[in-house]
């Protein structure tokens, strides 16, 4: 998976104890996680309300279905 592949994709993620969803509007490769050496991205997500949040793909337990 690359950053360009996930831009525009629907995503669900954890934020402040809730499971939310939105569309990924921007993504950039981050260094792999220190624990587990997992590939990671910094993603910006726009929700249905129009608000955006920037978070770590891995830390937010994000999930996308690549089409």
């Amino acid at each position: 998976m690359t950053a360009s592949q996930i831009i525009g994709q629907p995503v669900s993620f954890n934020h402040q104890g809730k499971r939310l969803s939105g569309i990924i509007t921007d993504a950039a490769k981050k260094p792999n996680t220190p624990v587990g050496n997992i590939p990671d991205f910094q993603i910006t997500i726009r929700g249905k309300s129009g608000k955006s949040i920037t978070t770590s793909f891995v830390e937010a337990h994000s999930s996308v279905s690549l089409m």
Side-chain angles (χ1 to χ4, degrees), residues 3-43:
S4 63
Q5 286 178 309
I6 62 174
I7 293 174
Q9 296 297 320
V11 62
S12 60
F13 63 101
N14 293 341
H15 180 66
Q16 297 180 345
K18 296 178 185 176
R19 190 74 178 162
L20 304 174
S21 62
I23 301 292
I24 298 175
T25 58
D26 192 30
K29 180 76 173 113
K30 288 180 60 173
N32 290 0
T33 60
V35 177
N37 199 34
I38 302 167
D40 197 7
F41 298 95
Q42 179 168 323
I43 57 174

Side-chain angles (χ1 to χ4, degrees), residues 41-63:
F41 298 95
Q42 179 168 323
I43 57 174
T44 301
I45 304 161
R46 185 183 67 244
K48 291 179 184 179
S49 71
K51 292 182 181 179
S52 292
I53 184 171
T54 300
T55 189
S56 159
F57 189 88
V58 173
E59 290 175 14
H61 300 275
S62 303
S63 176

